[in-house]
Structures are given as structure tokens and as C-alpha cells.
Amino acid sequence: MTEEPSLLRPYLMTSGRAQPVDQTLEIEAQVMTSRLGAASHPQLTFERQEIVSLCRTTMSVAEVAAMLGLHIGVARVLVADLAELGYVVVRRPGNHNSHDLGMIERVIRGLEAIH
């Protein structure tokens, strides 16, 4: 018999929120740690520290979720919170990225890793 994943941890990480403060945050949006985020790293909660550390190298929200083993919705909430506080910078997809095959492949790999 396999154990059901705990719903308590994601609930606690997001303070019970299912929607990010920025509900338009795309899973393919690129996230990068800001100077403020790097400087504030020790004061952040564990999950937020992990995201700030990971995003020293730019990656998509989907990649963040995959790398940390988080549900994509939880990753969106946490990344949006960090962006609102200035700890990460989010570059939104636009027409200039729509043909970036490298970015598309990274998002696909990140989504596949979530399963």
C-alpha cells in the first residue's frame, strides 16, 4: 500500500492559498534571483531559500517545481510571493520567446519531471 502525499506541507508553504498573488504568472516564465534575494537568503523560510538558491541560474517556474518536487500550483504561489517582495525577477514570456526552442525544451523537461 502506498502512502498518500501529505496535503499539509503545501498548505503550510502557501499559507493556505491556492492562487498566486499574480494569477497571470505563467509556468514558462523565467525566474532569476535578485540582489535583494541573494542578500536576504538567510532570513527566508526553507522553501523560499531553496527557490532563491536555485534561481541564481535562470529557470522557468515549471523547472523550479520539478527541481524541488513541488506541485506546479505551489511553485507559482511561492515564486509570485518572492517576486512581489523583490527577491526574484520574473521575465514574462512574449513573442520573442515563442520560438526559443531551448526554453521550450527546458519547460517540457521540467513538466515531465513533475510526473
Side-chain angles (χ1 to χ4, degrees):
M1 184 172 149
T2 60
E3 289 186 36
E4 290 294 316
S6 170
L7 297 177
L8 182 59
R9 184 170 180 257
Y11 180 85
L12 293 173
M13 284 189 287
T14 64
S15 300
R17 293 175 295 130
Q19 295 295 319
V21 291
D22 177 358
Q23 294 186 23
T24 65
L25 181 63
E26 304 90 344
I27 62 171
E28 66 272 19
Q30 299 294 297
V31 184
M32 183 172 53
T33 300
S34 68
R35 287 185 181 145
L36 176 62
S40 302
H41 184 269
Q43 290 80 36
L44 300 174
T45 62
F46 178 72
E47 292 80 14
R48 287 170 175 83
Q49 282 181 347
E50 287 184 313
I51 293 170
V52 166
S53 292
L54 268 180
C55 293
R56 289 187 173 135
T57 302
T58 303
M59 64 178 55
S60 70
V61 176
E63 290 173 302
V64 169
M67 296 290 287
L68 297 180
L70 297 173
H71 183 278
I72 192 70
V74 172
R76 285 181 69 226
V77 169
L78 295 175
V79 168
D81 286 353
L82 288 168
E84 183 176 59
L85 295 169
Y87 297 137
V88 297
V89 176
V90 177
R91 287 190 317 191
R92 308 304 286 259
N95 291 336
H96 63 281
N97 286 335
S98 64
H99 299 292
D100 181 350
L101 294 179
M103 192 251 328
I104 293 169
E105 289 173 357
R106 288 192 309 273
V107 171
I108 289 170
R109 282 193 307 272
L111 290 172
E112 288 172 340
I114 293 172
H115 287 37

